[in-house]
Amino acid sequence: MMRITRFIPRVLFGEKRFEDLNEFIDGSYPDRERYSVYIIDSVHQKTGLRDRLRPAAQDLVMEFNASAHEPKTSDVDALRDEIVKRKGAEYPRVVVGIGGGSVMDVAKAVSVMLTNPGSSADYQGWDLVKNKAVPKIAVPSLSGTGAEATRTAVLTGPIKKLGINSDFSIYDAVLLDPELLSTVPVEQEFYTGMDNFIHCVESINGSAMNAMGKPFAIQAKASVESFFLKEKNYAAFMVGGFLGGCSIANSSVGICHALSYGIAFVLGYRHGIANSIVFNQLREFYGQDVLTFRQMMEKQNLKLPSGVTRGVTSEQLAKMVQLTYMLERDLISALGPNFKNILTPEKISRLYEKM
Ligand code: NAD
Ligand code: ZN
């Protein structure tokens, strides 16, 4: 199979570089008469980042409240409809997403849905997007998902939680300012950091990985371990998050993400914590890395919720098994084409019961 490795072509990195956002946009997309769309996490009303934006008169500043819930296809459709209602058929020159994985995914999906008909739910899957998207810039204010570098926009739809995976859903540029991480609550910082750690463990151990992607994953994993076991260096952590994204963009996740989708969709846990709950039970698959994960938790004085799946009905469990199998590509990467012989529905249920 011919596999083309994709990277973000333009990256602006450094402390306080957020101040250069306007110049960065103008330099990349010089058509200043046209409007830009900013999609920013509502939390930045409180952190003060919203006030540091300098939109032009014609620009649209829209909010997504990631604290309420992770992105749904209906959120993306509503934002797209609002833009079309206010601006008609004219496309923006750029869509800028400012926030964690949630907002970065929303902005990604909106850029795709401005040029493609129907609902974003129609594009959950692989390579279903037909038309080129509006250009987009990611400004992460939370590190670990790697959403700033991947070709996925993860969305919860009416029937599934699954990403829009397409060459058109990858950012054209990224602004990395480590200072933006300073307001993130410590628990959130940890769980989103673990998302990066787990991506790396899964991709390094998966057959979808090749020598091209591996160095990124190894470096990203080391950055997370160093951050939570030694010293909190935010610049290195943010770069690690980006590199983790570069790695996962060109490989695959694994058993933990497959199982965590069920926990997220059916039980409503958020991505980072759902992954942590699952990963803690995967020692037979990921060995020493699970022990390192526990060490990091201990060092940061954090405790996972327990009894998470207590009270789950048999219908819910069946749905969770079905959702796990939806990440077929990832399970093939982790366990081979006969993954269902190893990860049987009974095995999945037993793992869930331990959580
Ligand atoms: P998030 O974006 O959902 O944000 C979590 C919380 O942190 C929210 O309350 C948010 O308001 C807050 N927050 C963000 N930045 C902040 C800041 N600077 N200061 C204070 N608070 C801040 O969390 P996340 O873990 O980054 O993203 C999770 C989402 O990313 C999930 O929907 C998951 O499916 C998705 N994801 C996407 C990819 C991808 O490749 N596209 C990969 C992994 C996960
Ligand atoms: Zn993840």
Side-chain angles (χ1 to χ4, degrees):
M1 187 183 71
M2 184 174 91
R3 211 170 74 197
I4 297 169
T5 305
R6 300 189 98 243
F7 295 112
I8 308 297
R10 295 166 69 81
V11 180
L12 173 60
F13 169 78
E15 297 277 347
K16 305 209 189 311
R17 290 281 74 83
F18 188 76
E19 301 310 320
D20 300 331
L21 179 59
N22 287 34
E23 212 180 308
F24 190 43
I25 295 171
D26 291 342
S28 309
Y29 310 104
D31 190 359
R32 289 181 185 222
E33 303 303 305
R34 260 164 75 197
Y35 71 105
S36 304
V37 172
Y38 297 89
I39 301 177
I40 184 166
D41 194 320
S42 314
V43 79
H44 293 304
Q45 295 276 8
K46 276 186 273 173
T47 65
L49 196 60
R50 167 70 184 81
D51 294 334
R52 290 168 61 196
L53 276 182
R54 288 170 286 126
Q58 72 275 22
D59 293 348
L60 297 180
V61 181
M62 310 175 99
E63 284 189 18
F64 180 77
N65 183 4
S67 310
H69 58 77
E70 288 181 345
K72 299 179 188 172
T73 52
S74 55
D75 300 319
V76 170
D77 296 350
L79 284 166
R80 185 266 321 266
D81 293 347
E82 174 74 16
I83 296 168
V84 173
K85 194 173 124 203
R86 289 167 68 177
K87 294 292 183 178
E90 186 201 4
Y91 294 146
R93 65 169 159 159
V94 65
V95 175
V96 184
I98 307 165
S102 292
V103 170
M104 289 192 278
D105 280 353
V106 166
K108 244 187 226 189
V110 166
S111 87
V112 166
M113 292 315 298
L114 281 165
T115 58
N116 287 277
S119 164
S120 49
D122 305 337
Y123 301 96
Q124 286 179 284
W126 284 269
D127 302 307
L128 302 173
V129 178
K130 298 282 178 317
N131 305 321
K132 200 167 173 251
V134 168
K136 47 194 162 298
I137 299 180
V139 184
S141 69
L142 173 55
S143 273
T145 64
E148 63 273 33
T150 65
R151 68 201 278 283
T152 311
V154 183
L155 300 174
T156 301
I159 40 177
K160 57 196 170 193
K161 179 177 178 192
L162 192 65
I164 298 177
N165 297 269
S166 132
D167 282 344
F168 304 125
S169 46
I170 187 161
Y171 276 103
D172 301 277
V174 174
L175 191 160
L176 297 176
D177 180 349
E179 209 182 69
L180 304 190
L181 303 179
S182 63
T183 52
V184 177
V186 284
E187 280 211 9
Q188 187 65 56
E189 174 182 276
F190 183 80
Y191 287 121
T192 303
M194 284 311 113
D195 195 22
N196 188 13
F197 181 78
I198 294 166
H199 289 157
C200 294
V201 171
E202 289 177 306
S203 66
I204 289 168
N205 289 291
S207 64
M209 178 59 101
N210 61 22
M212 184 72 220
K214 207 167 194 167
F216 294 100
I218 289 170
Q219 183 58 40
K221 182 165 172 270
S223 80
V224 177
E225 290 177 15
S226 167
F227 189 81
F228 290 115
L229 292 174
K230 294 189 187 118
E231 188 206 355
K232 288 198 171 180
N233 177 326
Y234 282 92
F237 187 63
M238 182 168 248
V239 171
F242 177 75
L243 293 180
C246 293
S247 154
I248 209 70
N250 296 297
S251 54
S252 210
V253 286
I255 304 164
C256 182
H257 271 71
L259 288 166
S260 96
Y261 272 35
I263 299 250
F265 191 90
V266 176
L267 303 175
Y269 282 90
R270 301 183 71 109
H271 188 74
I273 193 161
N275 276 324
S276 298
I277 291 166
V278 175
F279 194 68
N280 192 38
Q281 300 301 339
L282 297 183
R283 191 159 167 214
E284 62 181 290
F285 298 106
Y286 296 121
Q288 174 59 41
D289 291 321
V290 176
L291 301 182
T292 306
F293 161 80
R294 290 180 189 159
Q295 254 174 15
M296 289 189 278
M297 284 221 74
E298 206 174 290
K299 175 104 184 172
Q300 298 302 317
N301 277 319
L302 293 172
K303 280 223 156 44
L304 282 173
S306 60
V308 164
T309 50
R310 204 177 292 146
V312 164
T313 65
S314 53
E315 291 84 57
Q316 284 178 315
L317 199 58
K319 177 78 190 174
M320 287 161 73
V321 171
Q322 185 203 344
L323 282 165
T324 301
Y325 286 144
M326 247 179 200
L327 272 79
E328 193 179 351
R329 288 179 182 216
D330 302 301
L331 292 172
I332 291 174
S333 172
L335 299 168
N338 298 323
F339 64 87
K340 280 192 181 162
N341 296 342
I342 304 166
L343 209 61
T344 60
E346 297 72 42
K347 174 78 187 171
I348 296 174
S349 305
R350 257 182 285 129
L351 284 167
Y352 275 139
E353 276 159 20
K354 287 203 252 171
M355 300 169 196

